[in-house]
Amino acid sequence: MRTMRWTRPRALLAALGTLWAGAAGAATLTADDAVRIALKSNSQIINAEASILDAKGGLYSAWSGLLPRVSADYSRDESWLTNRVGNQAVGGVVFPPRTTFESQSHSTDPTISGSWSVLNLSSLTGLSAARNALQASRLRRVSTRQDVVLNTLRQFYEVVKATHLSRVANGSLQLARDDERRVRAMFDVGSVSKSDLLKAQVRSAQSELDSLTATQGVVIQRIALANLLGVAEAAVAEIDTTLTAEAKSFDGAALLAEAEASRPDLKAAEADLRSARSNLRSARFARLPYLSLSGSATFNSSSDSRFDQPLTDSTGSEIPGTRATGNTRSEIDHVYSARLALIWNVFDGLATDARNASARAQLIRAEEARDALHRNLQADVNQALIVHREAISRATVASRALDSAFENLKLTQEKYHVGSATILELIDAQVQLQRAQNDQVTALASIRVAEAQINRVRGHAE
């Protein structure tokens, strides 16, 4: 990469400094400031961060299919039975209910249970897919940040160009009004014709319309910049319209190689493709059986029961004044249980087939996205280089035009002072100088935007 500098006369630099001094204030917004604000508040950045959270959720979900699950519960059961009455049948004869029965029972069971899917190939490959998806989300965040940087710089210099255009339009309006007053004075003394006066009035009206349009253009561009920054337009400070640029030369082959190695969107596409392949394998492995290990442990389990029932004779009749009561209690220190099962979903209502079809579609889209990026990479690099070279050429032409405009104004002023040039010619020379200055600003801004585009193409936008 080679760097070339333009050399300009002292008068050119002094004039540009005078033009820009009016806009430079204590609280101005530079291009770097705009980029920093956008990287914090831009909606694309916020959405990219949210996408990473989604990907992390997918990773946690994939881990849940591999890690054991443990639960603990403490249960307390109470049961009361009061005045249960029963019938008895002997020899086909039903006797009326004579006995009543009452009971109470209590039990306490603290239990810990767990389960673990062992050797589940579908969950293992699903974890790999989730990891690649998280990596792709992080790379896309980097790519999004680079896009935001490029778009912010491009819009920032649109505001700069609109501001300078507005100044040129306001300067042209002032010159047109001065011209109209001079022509009217000359018309009053009979030095110019009515046609010259009408032309001056038309030019003044057109300049006023151009000034209004240029001023509105500044507002529109500021609103667009505020939207990119993620702030209200009223919160955007005055734009620093000072511009400096150096013409740099880039090697196309080296730039292409750097883009292939550094572009985060290319890396994200590769990670998406790996995730899609793992997801498809996970869907296919869902047809295979897997082992499930489960177990539980109960500690210090206890139960109590009490009953109250009247005594009966051999015929089943209650014996008056007699009842049988009793209490039972049992305690268990530990109860362990374990289970190893082989689970095979032979038919799940086509759920596995649907998952396979969705995974294949995801793989097709991921392959096409990756291939499209690689197909268009060289074209993107070439286009960025062409735009950059065009911006350099425009800046070179604008620099020569500005030098010529300064020289023309100087000569016209000398002629006017000696009476060989009219006031109209002097005004035209001044307007030409203002427009040449605006073209120079536009060319310098185009170089900065073109350099930002090249940085984005090769993956170095930040």
Side-chain angles (χ1 to χ4, degrees):
M1 181 179 69
R2 295 180 291 109
T3 300
M4 300 179 294
R5 295 179 181 272
W6 286 294
T7 58
R8 302 182 180 88
R10 292 180 179 271
L12 171 60
L13 296 178
L16 289 178
T18 301
L19 179 63
W20 293 327
T28 57
L29 182 71
T30 65
D32 293 337
D33 294 335
V35 168
R36 282 193 293 269
I37 295 173
L39 290 178
K40 293 180 181 179
S41 305
N42 184 270
S43 59
Q44 290 180 277
I45 299 296
I46 297 174
N47 291 333
E49 296 291 344
S51 297
I52 291 181
L53 292 178
D54 285 338
K56 287 182 179 179
L59 181 61
Y60 298 153
S61 177
W63 272 113
S64 69
L66 293 173
L67 298 177
R69 301 184 180 186
V70 180
S71 62
D73 66 86
Y74 181 89
S75 62
R76 171 74 176 178
D77 295 331
E78 301 282 347
S79 176
W80 294 271
L81 191 152
T82 305
N83 295 330
R84 187 187 71 179
V85 179
N87 292 328
Q88 292 183 341
V90 178
V93 179
V94 178
F95 293 89
R98 296 180 178 180
T99 61
T100 59
F101 183 81
E102 295 181 358
S103 68
Q104 296 181 8
S105 63
H106 316 277
S107 64
T108 303
D109 296 301
T111 304
I112 297 177
S113 59
S115 62
W116 189 8
S117 295
V118 185
L119 296 179
N120 191 329
L121 296 179
S122 178
S123 296
L124 286 171
T125 51
L127 176 62
S128 176
R131 283 174 172 169
N132 285 312
L134 177 58
Q135 182 185 10
S137 294
R138 287 171 173 165
L139 289 169
R140 277 194 296 271
R141 176 180 61 181
V142 177
S143 180
T144 299
R145 289 175 66 88
Q146 294 181 353
D147 289 336
V148 169
V149 170
L150 174 59
N151 294 333
T152 301
L153 290 175
R154 181 181 288 123
Q155 186 56 44
F156 179 87
Y157 290 115
E158 287 295 328
V159 178
V160 172
K161 290 191 292 184
T163 302
H164 282 282
L165 182 61
S166 176
R167 292 173 187 168
V168 171
N170 292 335
S172 299
L173 174 59
Q174 185 62 41
L175 291 174
R177 288 173 175 173
D178 293 341
D179 180 26
E180 182 182 354
R181 285 194 298 268
R182 291 187 181 95
V183 173
R184 182 178 296 277
M186 296 170 67
F187 173 75
D188 292 339
V189 297
S191 299
V192 297
S193 64
K194 179 69 173 180
S195 176
D196 293 333
L197 177 60
L198 293 176
K199 289 179 181 179
Q201 291 175 341
V202 170
R203 178 181 172 183
S204 180
Q206 184 62 47
S207 297
E208 185 174 359
L209 179 61
D210 292 341
S211 178
L212 292 174
T213 302
T215 302
Q216 184 66 20
V218 174
V219 176
I220 293 174
Q221 297 300 334
R222 282 178 59 87
I223 292 174
L225 178 61
N227 290 335
L228 278 174
L229 299 183
V231 298
E233 192 274 334
V236 178
E238 289 297 323
I239 301 298
D240 182 8
T241 56
T242 304
L243 278 176
T244 58
E246 295 180 354
K248 301 177 182 179
S249 178
F250 298 92
D251 180 70
L255 193 62
L256 179 60
E258 188 177 5
E260 290 176 344
S262 304
R263 284 273 294 265
D265 53 345
L266 296 179
K267 295 179 180 180
E270 294 290 347
D272 280 331
L273 183 57
R274 292 193 299 269
S275 176
R277 288 171 177 168
S278 297
N279 194 33
L280 180 58
R281 287 195 297 269
S282 176
R284 291 173 176 172
F285 287 153
R287 300 184 183 278
L288 301 179
Y290 64 93
L291 293 177
S292 176
L293 178 63
S294 61
S296 64
T298 302
F299 305 94
N300 299 324
S301 175
S302 63
S303 64
D304 298 274
S305 64
R306 184 181 65 82
F307 68 91
D308 185 349
Q309 180 180 7
L311 296 177
T312 60
D313 55 19
S314 59
T315 62
S317 299
E318 292 184 9
I319 300 175
T322 62
R323 299 188 70 82
T325 60
N327 294 297
T328 62
R329 177 176 175 81
S330 66
E331 294 182 355
I332 303 175
D333 290 339
H334 306 92
V335 177
Y336 300 106
S337 66
R339 176 174 176 266
L340 179 63
L342 179 65
I343 302 176
W344 188 7
N345 295 322
V346 179
F347 180 73
D348 55 5
L350 301 179
T352 303
D353 297 88
R355 182 181 173 186
N356 273 272
S358 177
R360 284 195 296 270
Q362 179 186 0
L363 178 60
I364 292 173
R365 288 192 292 267
E367 288 178 343
E368 175 57 26
R370 190 273 312 269
D371 294 342
L373 284 175
H374 282 281
R375 282 196 308 267
N376 299 330
L377 180 60
Q378 186 170 3
D380 292 342
V381 171
N382 291 336
Q383 182 179 4
L385 288 174
I386 290 173
V387 171
H388 183 259
R389 291 166 185 163
E390 180 184 2
I392 292 176
S393 299
R394 287 180 178 273
T396 303
V397 174
S399 180
R400 292 200 304 265
L402 187 56
D403 291 339
S404 299
F406 268 111
E407 188 65 24
N408 180 52
L409 177 59
K410 181 180 178 180
L411 292 176
T412 305
Q413 286 175 339
E414 293 176 355
K415 290 181 180 180
Y416 178 74
H417 291 155
V418 298
S420 61
T422 64
I423 187 62
L424 297 180
E425 293 174 339
L426 180 59
I427 292 175
D428 287 338
Q430 293 172 340
V431 172
Q432 290 174 7
L433 175 60
Q434 288 181 326
R435 296 194 180 278
Q437 289 171 335
N438 180 72
D439 291 340
Q440 177 73 353
V441 171
T442 301
L444 293 177
S446 298
I447 290 178
R448 298 295 299 271
V449 173
E451 289 176 353
Q453 177 67 30
I454 287 180
N455 288 334
R456 174 62 184 93
V457 166
R458 65 180 181 178
H460 290 170
E462 289 192 69

